[in-house]
Amino acid sequence: MEIMANRLDRGFYMYQKEFEDKALEVLRSGWYVLGKEVSGFEEEYAAYTGAKYCVGLASGLDALWLAFRVLGIGAGDEVIVQGNTYIASVMGITINGATPVFVEPDKYNNIDTTKIEEKITDRTKAILVVHLYGQASKMDDVMELAKKYHLKVVEDCAQSHGACYNGKMTGTFGDIGCFSFYPSKNLGAFGDAGAIVTDDEQIAKDMKMYRNYGSEKRYYNKVVGANSRLDEIQAGLLRVRLKHLDELAAEKVEICNRYLKELKNPLIELPEVQKNATTIWHQFVIHCKYRDELMNYLKDKGIGTIIHYPIPPHLSEAYEYLGLKEGALPITERYAKEVLSIPLYNGMTEEEQTYVINAINAFKA
Ligand SMILES: *Cc1c(COP(=O)(O)O)cnc(C)c1O
């Protein structure tokens, strides 16, 4: 059997007619950028998250760097972020000229909130919280520190659409919640797309200005902005998927509950969900000391897996200039050698799940 680590066709065919009808509707409308599909999606996604405002953007990375831009955080400022994140989180900070200050992860793969305070200096302006792999971070600790030190909080929710902490949705704790709708995310478009959510009217207004060349009124440009507009066709297709997001999430929970119950191999560590948090299982990430052997073994059996992420940002070539060497973040670096995301996608059959479970349970080092 051949099982891909992730596949997006199944999720399309589940609602094929609805997607195709919407695509045709937009194509035939004659309006393709920033129209009623975008404003409709913004309203519906704000309502879904419980935030007051949503602003559609072209990607998750744009959401991140524009968030720091709008908050006025740049050169000379420091932003705290976990070491084991996707590099786009860090780029969101550094595109503005600010400096990332890395904190080690906890056993839930999120920022270890007990290690934040020691990293705060008089240059620290914000904490960027990443809800990695779909699980909400410890937001009560983060918000308490932010209050004590007067820091802004930006949430990277590219992997956590609908995940909650104490019943409140990720993206609604801090000043700005940043979302990606890249096709493989839990709420995925059919191309690139992103958004921010916020309760602050001024931030929402500024975002709308920045996404459109810094103009509120056509040809009157207040600031140097970006072209980060959300396409009508993506917004329309996102509205279709959003209607089904809860049932899509429930299906993933069911698959992961089976993994949690039936995966039994002393060589692997299963993911844990912390108290007060929920996960939407963007990825099902196991830890294994023999990760590379396991990956090759599964590949021989036709099972695809992915490493999220093999090179931590501080050791990537792009961030050589930060001067951080191997050993700077031992836990982050160990995770990069241990983590493995096993197959998980909407429309995964029981037979496929069983094949993966049996293969992993039979693995020997
Ligand atoms: C996907 C992702 C991003 C970037 O989103 P894009 O839409 O691809 O630009 C940022 N942060 C995290 C944690 C991600 O997973």
Side-chain angles (χ1 to χ4, degrees):
M1 202 184 298
E2 285 289 327
I3 301 177
M4 291 154 81
N6 190 9
R7 56 187 299 173
L8 306 176
D9 53 339
R10 300 260 177 93
F12 164 68
Y13 286 112
M14 279 172 151
Y15 312 108
Q16 180 180 4
K17 180 146 186 355
E18 285 176 73
F19 284 130
E20 290 180 353
D21 286 351
K22 181 56 87 175
L24 276 179
E25 186 190 325
V26 176
L27 288 174
R28 288 169 177 168
S29 74
W31 195 280
Y32 306 119
V33 174
L34 296 186
K36 70 176 176 47
E37 295 296 340
V38 170
S39 54
F41 173 71
E42 287 172 342
E43 256 172 53
E44 288 157 16
Y45 200 60
Y48 180 81
T49 58
K52 280 201 188 129
Y53 308 97
C54 169
V55 179
L57 301 165
S59 74
L61 175 61
D62 281 358
L64 288 160
W65 79 260
L66 288 170
F68 289 108
R69 182 66 57 95
V70 163
L71 292 173
I73 294 170
D77 299 332
E78 291 176 357
V79 177
I80 287 174
V81 64
Q82 70 190 70
N84 62 325
T85 185
Y86 181 48
I87 200 158
S89 315
V90 184
M91 290 186 180
I93 298 167
T94 60
I95 285 171
N96 292 291
T99 304
V101 174
F102 297 107
V103 171
E104 295 271 43
D106 62 14
K107 67 170 179 167
Y108 308 102
N109 302 299
N110 279 325
I111 193 164
D112 185 338
T113 55
T114 65
K115 294 179 181 162
I116 294 176
E117 199 158 15
E118 65 200 57
K119 297 289 175 90
I120 294 174
T121 70
D122 52 8
R123 292 177 166 217
T124 310
K125 290 284 152 55
I127 303 173
L128 173 59
V129 186
V130 187
H131 307 289
L132 201 68
Y133 307 146
Q135 180 167 187
S137 296
K138 270 198 187 97
M139 288 313 293
D140 46 2
D141 289 359
V142 172
M143 295 316 293
E144 204 180 295
L145 286 167
K147 199 167 165 204
K148 184 168 165 195
Y149 293 97
H150 307 287
L151 304 176
K152 301 286 186 195
V153 174
V154 176
E155 293 174 74
D156 182 341
C157 307
Q159 305 189 0
S160 73
H161 319 78
C164 291
Y165 191 76
N166 277 329
K168 186 173 156 68
M169 268 199 202
T170 53
T172 64
F173 288 86
D175 298 274
I176 303 179
C178 301
F179 290 86
S180 164
F181 308 119
Y182 182 75
S184 66
K185 311 293 188 187
N186 283 46
L187 178 58
F190 292 80
D192 281 304
I196 62 99
V197 299
T198 184
D199 282 343
D200 185 314
E201 191 182 359
Q202 192 56 48
I203 287 175
K205 272 195 180 153
D206 288 349
M207 269 295 169
K208 285 189 172 174
M209 178 173 75
Y210 270 95
R211 78 174 169 189
N212 198 16
Y213 298 115
S215 76
E216 277 170 339
K217 194 173 144 202
R218 204 170 204 178
Y219 306 131
Y220 290 78
N221 303 77
K222 278 195 172 170
V223 293
V224 178
N227 173 357
S228 186
R229 299 174 296 223
L230 176 58
D231 294 336
E232 280 288 279
I233 198 158
Q234 299 303 346
L237 296 170
L238 282 166
R239 292 176 83 182
V240 171
R241 183 109 61 188
L242 180 58
K243 272 194 278 178
H244 300 292
L245 187 57
D246 287 340
E247 70 208 45
L248 287 165
E251 187 192 30
K252 277 195 159 182
V253 167
E254 212 169 292
I255 298 166
C256 292
N257 281 342
R258 238 197 112 188
Y259 278 162
L260 288 173
K261 204 165 118 213
E262 296 180 37
L263 282 174
K264 287 193 171 81
N265 187 325
L267 299 177
I268 68 161
E269 241 177 89
L270 294 171
E272 284 179 57
V273 183
Q274 68 178 334
K275 206 172 134 248
N276 302 330
T278 63
T279 176
I280 54 155
W281 296 113
H282 174 59
Q283 304 292 349
F284 191 93
V285 178
I286 60 176
H287 285 243
C288 178
K289 294 220 159 44
Y290 308 92
R291 195 265 318 274
D292 294 341
E293 288 94 319
L294 174 59
M295 195 174 187
N296 286 330
Y297 158 89
L298 291 172
K299 192 168 164 229
D300 287 342
K301 296 204 169 301
I303 299 172
T305 54
I306 306 180
I307 300 167
H308 294 106
Y309 300 93
I311 302 170
H314 74 282
L315 297 181
S316 92
E317 204 182 327
Y319 288 118
E320 246 173 40
Y321 74 87
L322 292 173
L324 293 166
K325 298 274 180 288
E326 186 129 23
L329 296 165
I331 301 173
T332 296
E333 291 163 25
R334 176 161 60 80
Y335 282 15
K337 295 191 174 84
E338 284 182 1
V339 293
L340 192 65
S341 305
I342 65 173
L344 176 64
Y345 45 85
N346 284 115
M348 190 178 187
T349 66
E350 275 186 42
E351 198 192 357
E352 288 170 335
Q353 297 162 32
T354 304
Y355 186 76
V356 171
I357 291 165
N358 289 342
I360 293 176
N361 285 347
F363 172 71
K364 291 184 190 71

